[in-house]
Amino acid sequence: MYDDADLLPISALQHLAFCERQCGLIHLEQAWNENALTAYGRILHKRADRHGRETRRGVRTEFAVPIASRRLGLFGKADAVEFPASGPCPVEYKRGKAKAHDADRVQLAAQAMCLEEMTGATIPEAALWYGATRQREPVTIDDALRSRVEDLAAQLHAMMNQGATPPPRKGPHCKACSMRGLCLPDIFRGDGSQGTKSAVRYLGQMRRDRDHESENAP
């Protein structure tokens, strides 16, 4: 069990699931690089981050719900928690659409596990709502996803205690990362012998990366 002072943000767990270096840059070095897509995500969450409640079709929904787990050593805020007769169901709002990586599902499962610890309820399913498709995606909080959250939470605490940002690990995920300019400043260079790419090639790469980022960024 972690003390309150040792709790880490669930958002860091999402960053770690996407890329451990991104997590280190943001949460150890306090580095951040805003772009149009991250700004849109921030606006979307600002709209969702309204305290209060509403009831529709007999289901109460609480917004901006503070959550924490001393077992996992995590804290955060659920965008929304619905309370149907079957029990609480966290709902997380995301820009873009469903992604191949599991960072969004990890974040949502961590929220569900926090709520379980706080309420004593069992939460078998939660939901992601994506702004680009305006669709709700149910997520089963199964044993595999729970184990993934627990492993990442332990890894996150170990990394923060060590205080060392992991080295770069280039891969397809880099194109979907708003931090790539800070993490890999030479990402638009050749093998080191060719110098800076032409403006036309640079802009073409930027457009391709922007389209890829819109589909896959956490």
Side-chain angles (χ1 to χ4, degrees), residues 69-170:
S69 167
R70 296 187 65 184
R71 183 178 71 84
L72 296 171
L74 299 172
F75 78 97
K77 185 182 292 184
D79 286 342
V81 180
E82 297 173 349
F83 292 90
S86 57
C89 173
V91 180
E92 178 71 11
Y93 295 86
K94 295 292 183 184
R95 60 176 170 78
K97 58 184 181 181
K99 308 166 184 72
H101 59 73
D102 67 354
D104 291 349
R105 294 186 292 277
V106 163
Q107 181 183 18
L108 184 66
Q111 293 178 0
M113 294 167 75
C114 286
L115 280 167
E116 286 179 334
E117 186 174 318
M118 295 170 64
T119 65
T122 298
I123 302 176
E125 187 177 280
L128 292 164
W129 189 92
Y130 285 101
T133 60
R134 302 191 68 80
Q135 290 184 348
R136 178 182 174 119
E137 177 183 307
V139 176
T140 300
I141 312 299
D142 57 19
D143 291 342
L145 190 53
R146 291 173 185 274
S147 294
R148 173 83 164 138
V149 169
E150 291 175 354
D151 291 345
L152 285 170
Q155 183 182 344
L156 176 63
H157 278 275
M159 186 180 74
M160 298 299 288
N161 288 335
Q162 291 169 2
T165 299
R169 179 177 56 84
K170 292 182 68 174

